[in-house]
Amino acid sequence: MSTHLHDLWHNAMNSVQGDDNFARLRRASLQAAAEKFGISSAIEERPAAEIQFYLHDLNSAGGEVAALEAGDFLQRVQRAVARLAKARRSRLADVVRLTSLDFEIARLNVASAALGSWVVDLKFPPVEDSSTISDSSTAWAEIGIVELIRALPENDTDEQSIDSIGAASPVIRRAVADLITDQPATQPHLAISVRRFSGEVLKSTITPRQATSLRAKLDVAREERGIVRLSGRLDGLRTRRQIFYLEVEGGREIHGYVDESLMPAVRENLDREVEVELESFVIRAKSGKSTQRQYRLIRVGGEQSQLPVGMNGE
């Protein structure tokens, strides 16, 4: 089977989100199609999804990270991934409480570790036939880690992602906050990379300087929200950072945050006239200073974000 056909199949499978009857039917249909056309064995030969988690302490001579700090950050990553997976699974704008089942459904396993700056390879757990957990458990772990990585800066010069975090869903901002210690200026340099089941590779980083900036962006006293309905042309998409660009009447351009669940719909409508719904924000810090109005895309045509509007959560 050609690489192009491989990618089409995996992109279709990655676009199927959720664990409802319709989502399970679509996954089953895609799997049946692969078997019917004799491509299932080739698909299985594709590399499994993997995550690499790297910590480097800029304050130590050789960058060494203490075991307690490394363990703490592993817990932070697992908490953030479980939080995002639960939000997508239950269609919640925010998630405050996490149960042991939430962690199990989006579990990450440590496959190997290297000393020094502390590199840890994580793997998604296999789902056993006898498991009482949904057959999409591995998919939820991948959804959580991908949502997290896309929300973080791509590298140590990516200021645009830091600026856009204010317009992200409340649960995404809470998950990013999970990774930042009480003293962000002294926390280790964090880098995460994931190779998805489709073969796509995503990378993100948080340096101590970026952690300080993110903490300031997340330290919000009040938000003014509203829903804006517009028609315009989807002019662009920064896929790695989840930033959309919409050209509206008069040549004015609006840009803002787009959730992972709406990425396929945005790609399909690029350079097209569409009707959209945007969640609008004015964010005020404790100092009283307010930001310019920011936007999060919540609907494109008939496709709705799986992270709803508002502060409903649990």
Side-chain angles (χ1 to χ4, degrees):
M1 182 177 63
S2 69
T3 301
H4 177 65
L5 196 52
H6 267 115
D7 291 340
L8 286 176
W9 188 92
H10 279 284
N11 287 340
M13 186 64 83
N14 283 336
S15 70
V16 183
Q17 310 292 355
D19 195 33
D20 52 62
N21 291 334
F22 181 67
R24 287 195 292 270
L25 179 61
R26 288 188 64 188
R27 282 192 289 267
S29 298
L30 285 168
Q31 191 61 48
E35 295 173 357
K36 178 179 179 180
F37 292 103
I39 62 177
S40 56
S41 60
I43 290 170
E44 291 172 359
E45 292 173 1
R46 295 290 291 269
E50 295 179 352
I51 311 164
Q52 189 169 80
F53 176 85
Y54 173 80
L55 279 174
H56 182 84
D57 190 348
L58 301 178
N59 295 315
S60 64
E64 297 88 353
V65 177
L68 285 176
E69 291 182 352
D72 175 63
F73 271 92
L74 282 174
Q75 291 183 40
R76 289 173 179 273
V77 171
Q78 178 65 87
R79 178 173 293 277
V81 169
R83 195 184 302 281
L84 290 169
K86 181 174 183 176
R88 289 283 296 275
R89 191 173 74 251
S90 303
R91 307 295 178 93
L92 296 170
D94 199 5
V95 171
V96 179
R97 296 183 294 111
L98 291 168
T99 67
S100 58
L101 181 61
D102 296 328
F103 285 109
E104 188 64 23
I105 287 177
R107 176 173 171 167
L108 302 173
N109 288 333
V110 176
S112 61
L115 298 176
S117 295
W118 205 276
V119 180
V120 180
D121 291 318
L122 301 177
K123 292 187 181 295
F124 299 111
V127 179
E128 304 294 339
D129 292 339
S130 59
S131 174
T132 58
I133 300 174
S134 163
D135 59 0
S136 62
S137 174
T138 299
W140 286 123
E142 182 182 1
I143 286 169
I145 195 71
V146 168
E147 194 85 73
L148 178 63
I149 284 182
R150 288 198 191 277
L152 299 175
E154 189 170 5
N155 51 51
D156 58 6
T157 62
D158 184 7
E159 299 298 326
Q160 193 171 11
S161 291
I162 295 176
D163 290 338
S164 70
I165 195 66
S169 175
V171 71
I172 290 177
R173 298 201 304 275
R174 193 181 294 276
V176 172
D178 282 337
L179 301 182
I180 302 173
T181 65
D182 293 336
Q183 296 180 312
T186 61
Q187 79 173 39
H189 177 123
L190 168 67
I192 309 175
S193 68
V194 61
R195 184 178 65 196
R196 306 187 69 178
F197 286 99
S198 64
E200 180 185 18
V201 176
L202 301 172
K203 297 181 179 180
S204 286
T205 182
I206 302 181
T207 65
R209 179 188 63 81
Q210 289 173 321
T212 300
S213 297
L214 283 167
R215 175 66 79 186
K217 295 287 184 183
L218 296 169
D219 191 14
V220 176
R222 183 163 62 93
E223 298 178 0
E224 298 174 2
R225 295 166 174 266
I227 303 299
V228 180
R229 295 174 177 84
L230 295 172
S231 295
R233 184 177 68 88
L234 277 172
D235 187 44
L237 175 67
R238 193 176 175 201
T239 57
R240 292 297 179 95
R241 299 299 95 194
Q242 295 183 228
I243 300 172
F244 75 92
Y245 299 87
L246 179 73
E247 186 181 273
V248 296
E249 186 178 355
R252 185 167 61 97
E253 186 177 76
I254 291 175
H255 70 275
Y257 197 93
V258 52
D259 300 325
E260 168 74 9
S261 62
L262 272 182
M263 293 286 278
V266 175
R267 288 192 185 97
E268 290 175 5
N269 286 282
L270 282 177
D271 204 29
R272 295 181 183 176
E273 291 288 329
V274 294
E275 292 184 355
V276 302
E277 286 187 4
L278 306 172
E279 188 176 13
S280 172
F281 305 85
V282 174
I283 301 175
R284 303 187 188 281
K286 291 181 179 179
S287 63
K289 184 178 180 180
S290 63
T291 67
Q292 294 182 340
R293 191 162 295 277
Q294 300 183 50
Y295 301 93
R296 178 170 76 97
L297 188 64
I298 58 175
R299 184 178 66 82
V300 179
E303 295 294 324
Q304 195 82 20
S305 169
Q306 292 184 10
L307 297 179
V309 176
M311 295 297 291
N312 62 308
E314 59 177 61

